[in-house]
């Protein structure tokens, strides 16, 4: 009984130590979520206005440009997958990888070759373990990405989109990442960056112009519409990748917080369970000791009575 009680007490100490760690990680992740949300809120308006600027150039000119012109038969596409550098975030990285796999499957089904670019050690490990090729990877900053990180990622992608597909270039650029919806919900997203897909108010405005429901604005581009698009192309790609990195970071912290809270709750349940078992073992030990004392006293009384006769 004594050894069993010691075992339970040792397990309680071990689980209690783990609980302290998971509780601390939960609090750290909660504080990082707030910072990540603020960064997303600060970066999104710039990216949206830049998209509106590209929309204005696209509908204000007839120039064909990789930023706005979709090929009838695209031959090659790039897929940027954003995962985490570390685990302890539930199914965060695995869900992002599944979205990337689904996106790659759709592109291959459409007849395109896919060049994969990866952000985060989890994605690199996944592809490396399965010996699947990827063009380039970036790691070490997924918890707190900066605009410089986005520029570094965007550079080879912009270079590839500017090349002809016969020279190793790409016709389309897609991205798979996790969008932060709320503290509880984070959604894997598959998005096409190039050629730019117009949506929301920009698409509604374009349809209005086509139906003749409103006058179409007139624009003058200097030095030319094509050069304006050339200048906007890297800024557009960088800003969209930066927002995706920030969204992914916020999602990762939220997933970590949820996973650590679950681990803390499970630790509480284990401690309660081991405490009940330890109390039961202690009670059994005390009962056995009392039984042994009573038995010894009874035997001693019988022996004393026998000697008096």
């Amino acid at each position: 009984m004594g050894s069993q009680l010691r075992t339970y007490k040792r397990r309680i100490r071990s689980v209690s130590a783990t609980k302290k760690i998971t509780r601390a990680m939960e609090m750290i992740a909660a504080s990082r979520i707030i910072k990540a949300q603020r960064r997303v809120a600060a970066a999104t308006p710039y990216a949206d206005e830049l998209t509106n600027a590209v929309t204005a150039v696209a509908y204000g000119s007839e120039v064909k440009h990789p930023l706005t012109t979709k090929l009838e038969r695209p031959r090659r596409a790039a897929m940027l997958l954003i995962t985490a550098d570390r685990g302890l975030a539930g199914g965060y990285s695995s869900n992002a990888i599944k979205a990337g796999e689904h996106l790659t499957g759709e592109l291959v089904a459409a007849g395109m070759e896919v060049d994969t670019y990866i952000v985060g050690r989890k994605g690199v490990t996944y592809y490396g373990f399965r010996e699947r090729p990827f063009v380039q990877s970036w790691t070490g900053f997924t918890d707190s990405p900066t605009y410089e990180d986005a520029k570094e990622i965007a550079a080879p992608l912009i270079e590839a989109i500017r090349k002809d597909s016969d020279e190793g270039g790409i016709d389309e650029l897609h991205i798979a990442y996790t969008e932060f919806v709320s503290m509880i919900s984070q959604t894997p997203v598959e998005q096409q960056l190039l050629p730019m897909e117009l949506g929301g108010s920009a698409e509604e405005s374009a349809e209005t112009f086509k139906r003749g429901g409103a006058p179409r604005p007139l624009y003058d581009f200097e030095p030319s519409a094509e050069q304006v698009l050339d200048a906007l192309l890297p800024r557009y790609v960088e800003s969209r990748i930066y927002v995706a990195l920030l969204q992914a970071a916020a999602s990762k912290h939220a997933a970590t917080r949820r996973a650590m809270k679950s681990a803390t709750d499970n630790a509480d349940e284990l401690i309660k369970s081991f405490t009940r078992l330890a109390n039961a073992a202690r009670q059994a030990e005390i009962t056995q000791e009392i039984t042994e004392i009573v038995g010894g006293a009874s035997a001693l009384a019988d022996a004393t009575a026998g000697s008096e006769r």
Side-chain angles (χ1 to χ4, degrees), residues 18-52:
T18 302
K19 176 187 171 182
K20 291 179 181 179
I21 296 173
T22 57
R23 178 59 179 166
M25 293 182 68
E26 177 189 348
M27 296 176 66
I28 292 171
S31 66
R32 288 178 175 175
I33 292 172
I34 304 301
K35 295 178 182 178
Q37 283 182 291
R38 291 174 181 170
R39 297 181 70 190
V40 171
T44 301
Y46 171 78
D48 290 342
E49 288 302 320
L50 194 55
T51 302
N52 292 336

Side-chain angles (χ1 to χ4, degrees), residues 63-78:
V63 66
K64 291 185 178 181
H65 192 274
L67 185 56
T68 57
T69 304
K70 184 175 180 63
L71 300 179
E72 292 184 4
R73 293 183 179 179
R75 296 167 53 188
R76 198 177 195 90

Side-chain angles (χ1 to χ4, degrees), residues 163-307:
K163 290 181 180 179
D164 189 80
S165 56
D166 294 331
E167 301 174 353
I170 58 174
D171 300 318
E172 293 185 0
L173 172 59
H174 298 258
I175 183 171
Y177 66 100
T178 306
E179 182 179 20
F180 180 86
V181 179
S182 66
M183 291 287 192
I184 300 175
S185 176
Q186 299 84 45
T187 307
V189 174
E190 304 166 19
Q191 183 180 3
Q192 179 176 317
L193 295 186
L194 294 173
M196 190 179 70
E197 288 186 328
L198 301 177
S201 60
E203 189 174 9
E204 292 173 5
S205 299
E207 290 299 323
T208 302
F209 292 148
K210 291 176 182 178
R211 292 195 301 267
R216 181 169 178 169
L218 299 177
Y219 295 97
D220 289 329
F221 303 104
E222 294 182 0
S224 68
E226 185 174 3
Q227 288 176 300
V228 171
L229 287 173
D230 284 338
L232 289 176
L233 173 61
R235 303 291 177 267
Y236 169 76
V237 175
E238 290 166 4
S239 65
R240 282 300 164 188
I241 290 177
Y242 182 50
V243 170
L245 289 172
L246 294 178
Q247 289 275 5
S251 299
K252 190 268 179 184
H253 295 317
T256 297
R257 176 184 175 275
R258 190 168 61 252
M260 292 301 99
K261 185 180 186 308
S262 177
T264 302
D265 293 342
N266 290 339
D268 280 332
E269 291 300 320
L270 280 174
I271 290 172
K272 291 178 182 178
S273 176
F274 285 135
T275 300
R276 284 194 294 268
L277 291 173
N279 290 339
R282 178 59 179 161
Q283 186 176 4
E285 184 178 351
I286 292 172
T287 301
Q288 183 177 356
E289 289 176 355
I290 292 174
T291 302
E292 291 175 353
I293 292 172
V294 171
S298 177
L300 181 60
D302 290 344
T304 302
S307 63

Side-chain angles (χ1 to χ4, degrees), residues 90-171:
Y92 165 77
S93 290
S94 61
N95 290 335
I97 290 172
K98 288 178 183 177
E101 294 282 79
H102 179 262
L103 178 56
T104 299
E106 287 190 337
L107 295 174
V108 171
M112 285 183 274
E113 298 180 25
V114 180
D115 293 338
T116 302
Y117 297 78
I118 304 174
V119 176
R121 291 192 181 93
K122 288 296 181 180
V124 173
T125 302
Y126 177 86
Y127 276 75
F129 180 76
R130 289 160 180 77
E131 298 182 350
R132 296 177 57 181
F134 54 89
V135 179
Q136 195 168 343
S137 65
W138 300 267
T139 60
F141 54 80
T142 56
D143 282 354
S144 183
T146 64
Y147 195 81
E148 292 301 317
D149 297 323
K151 289 179 68 175
E152 182 182 349
I153 296 169
L157 297 171
I158 294 170
E159 182 181 356
I161 198 69
R162 283 175 168 164
K163 290 181 180 179
D164 189 80
S165 56
D166 294 331
E167 301 174 353
I170 58 174
D171 300 318

